Amino acid sequence: AAPPLLGASPAAGPALRAALEATHSSSALPAAAVAAFVAASYAAGSRRRANIRRRATAVDKTETAVAPWEIERETEAERQQRYKREAEEMKLKWDARRLEEKQSAERRNSHRFKEQERELIYGPRDPIMEAYEARMYEEARVLEVCRKQREVYERIKAFKLGRPLPPKGKPFVNLKPNAVKPPQPNDIDVSGFYDPQTDIEALKYKAPPTYSSPTGPAPPKRNERGAPKAAWEEPQYFPAPPNQRPWNYPEVGTVTEVTKEVLTARAAREDGWIEKLPSIPLARTMKNSELRTVLGPTGIDVSGNRTDMLTRLNKALQRQAEGKF
């Protein structure tokens, strides 16, 4: 019996088996046997590849604005929940904006009233001199910080060497305390009443009179200078006009209590504010523009919608009835 043929598996085709048998049994030329074997192998492989099922991804060639994995499909319930959540977020957003506008208007009115009362005591502000004093304080503050650093260094050095500590020096200028955090909205004074202690406290944070700035001398007094010139011109100010008004106001920080003029102006402002308040039924018949025109001179905040203005008017009328002007 002939030995089993190498490579002659049941899956091989008839041509492949015939070629293998011819190679083993006959004495044919080797080239012809190899050619027949290669041809039979290629034919069998082609049939096997034809029977294999090709598995490929079906590509949708529809053009879209986003990638297919970014398309989200939400149900109707999810859509309604999203609409509700977005509406609540918008309501909170606009409530916060109205509150911010209301607080901002209250602070602006309060600052305006405080400046009017301060002007009755010290006269109009001098922005040129205030800017100069602020710059002098910043320059003196640099010197004070360097002095304290040197003082700490010398004391640490003496302590390490076992020597007596040198005494602490006298501060060149008082340093402003660092703000820990901004004040809360409820902690801000919106009464509109000027407190003289504010300017008295500010006097502690000024450069000493002996400090000489490298940027130049101080500008002349307000009643001794005219209009400012260009920055490169000398002197920096025109001469004062001959009809300059005399400055008869006291020095800033010398008044400890509000004067009688301030109290009189404050009472007149409160009385006029009370007399001009309309009643709630009358205010309901007014348009928004008319209501703002009536409430504006009284000092009541006119920001927001109609309901906000009527609420503020009602609170003001309640204060009037209780005698808390």
Side-chain angles (χ1 to χ4, degrees), residues 15 34 45 72 77 81 127 130 140 145 177 200 202 227-228 284 298 305 310 325:
V34 171
E72 298 181 359
Q81 290 179 0
E130 289 182 357
V145 170
I200 296 177
R284 294 183 187 277
T298 62
N305 53 21
L310 291 177
F325 302 139

Side-chain angles (χ1 to χ4, degrees), residues 163-175:
R163 300 172 183 173
L165 302 183
K168 293 185 178 180
K170 183 180 179 181
F172 183 68
V173 66
N174 295 325
L175 300 180

Side-chain angles (χ1 to χ4, degrees), residues 139-293:
E139 294 178 3
R141 180 183 177 276
V142 173
L143 299 179
E144 172 61 16
V145 170
C146 294
R147 187 201 65 81
K148 293 188 70 173
Q149 291 176 345
R150 185 66 182 183
E151 177 183 295
V152 172
Y153 168 75
E154 294 294 342
R155 291 173 65 87
I156 292 177
K157 179 180 177 181
F159 175 77
K160 290 183 177 180
L161 296 177
R163 300 172 183 173
L165 302 183
K168 293 185 178 180
K170 183 180 179 181
F172 183 68
V173 66
N174 295 325
L175 300 180
K176 295 180 180 179
N178 296 328
V180 180
K181 62 178 180 179
Q184 296 294 328
N186 297 332
D187 299 337
I188 300 177
D189 181 21
V190 293
S191 62
F193 298 156
Y194 170 70
D195 185 10
Q197 296 298 327
T198 304
D199 288 310
I200 296 177
E201 185 73 15
L203 286 178
K204 300 191 302 184
Y205 307 109
K206 293 180 63 176
T210 58
Y211 174 69
S212 178
S213 173
T215 58
K221 294 182 180 180
R222 134 182 4 220
N223 57 341
E224 298 177 0
R225 64 172 181 261
K229 297 182 180 180
W232 59 84
E233 295 180 326
E234 288 291 342
Q236 295 183 350
Y237 298 92
F238 288 99
N243 58 347
Q244 183 80 345
R245 293 181 181 181
W247 191 255
N248 299 325
Y249 293 97
E251 291 291 334
V252 177
T254 58
V255 179
T256 58
E257 295 181 357
V258 292
T259 59
K260 184 178 180 181
E261 292 80 4
V262 174
L263 297 177
T264 303
R266 190 178 297 177
R269 187 182 69 205
E270 292 173 351
D271 293 341
W273 172 67
I274 294 170
E275 293 175 358
K276 295 180 182 179
L277 288 179
S279 61
I280 293 296
L282 179 60
R284 294 183 187 277
T285 60
M286 297 181 180
K287 298 181 180 179
N288 289 352
S289 58
E290 298 175 350
L291 191 58
R292 288 190 174 91
T293 304

Side-chain angles (χ1 to χ4, degrees), residues 11-13 16 38-52 54:
L16 177 59
V38 171
S41 301
Y42 180 77
S46 299
R47 286 192 296 271
R48 285 197 302 270
R49 286 193 295 270
N51 295 332
I52 296 176
R54 302 299 179 93

Side-chain angles (χ1 to χ4, degrees), residues 73-136:
R73 296 178 176 84
E74 59 180 355
T75 61
E76 183 64 24
E78 293 175 349
R79 184 180 297 108
Q80 295 300 328
Q81 290 179 0
R82 179 169 58 84
Y83 290 163
K84 182 179 179 181
R85 183 178 65 255
E86 292 176 353
E88 293 176 353
E89 292 175 356
M90 292 299 297
K91 181 177 181 299
L92 292 175
K93 173 183 176 181
W94 286 105
D95 288 346
R97 287 192 177 184
R98 280 192 292 268
L99 178 61
E100 182 181 1
E101 183 180 355
K102 171 186 174 182
Q103 293 175 347
S104 177
E106 290 178 351
R107 296 167 191 171
R108 288 196 303 270
N109 292 333
S110 174
H111 178 73
R112 178 166 56 88
F113 293 143
K114 289 180 181 179
E115 289 298 314
Q116 292 175 357
E117 294 184 357
R118 184 188 184 278
E119 186 174 347
L120 294 175
I121 301 177
Y122 298 118
R125 287 185 178 271
D126 188 2
I128 296 177
M129 186 60 68
E130 289 182 357
Y132 172 79
E133 292 177 351
R135 190 171 76 249
M136 293 303 101

